[in-house]
């Protein structure tokens, strides 16, 4: 096995170099997607909010939600 350099390259050296790089790229993409999702702000509207004032107050203080102002 040690005499065949091509096999040694593809069996040992290439996986040792490629897999950590591949995992690093995947981790970076996953963290970027999570960061984008965390920073996204959604607009909401509550119709007849007087029937659920506790819910209306809790939603108002959530950082990723914004009350619809109307047009």
């Amino acid at each position: 096995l040690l005499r065949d350099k091509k096999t040694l390259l593809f069996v040992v050296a290439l996986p040792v170099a490629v897999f950590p790089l591949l995992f690093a790229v995947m981790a970076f993409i996953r963290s970027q997607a999570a960061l984008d999702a965390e920073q996204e702000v959604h607009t909401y509207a509550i119709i007849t909010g007087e029937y659920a004032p506790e819910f209306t107050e809790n939603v108002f203080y959530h950082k990723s939600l914004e009350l619809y102002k109307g047009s």
Side-chain angles (χ1 to χ4, degrees):
L1 180 69
L2 294 176
R3 287 184 286 160
D4 190 9
K5 302 296 183 199
K6 188 186 230 182
T7 302
L8 189 61
L9 175 73
F10 283 110
V11 170
V12 177
L14 198 62
V16 168
V18 170
F19 285 130
L21 182 65
L22 183 65
F23 290 143
V25 168
M26 288 173 32
F28 176 75
I29 291 171
R30 185 180 66 210
S31 68
Q32 286 299 110
L35 184 63
D36 291 345
E38 186 178 304
Q39 292 178 348
E40 188 175 348
V41 176
H42 300 283
T43 305
Y44 71 94
I46 298 178
I47 300 171
T48 64
E50 62 272 3
Y51 295 116
E54 190 174 309
F55 174 76
T56 304
E57 285 296 316
N58 288 340
V59 171
F60 177 73
Y61 291 112
H62 197 278
K63 68 178 182 177
S64 68
L65 296 175
E66 180 180 300
L67 182 62
Y68 177 69
K69 306 291 188 218
S71 52

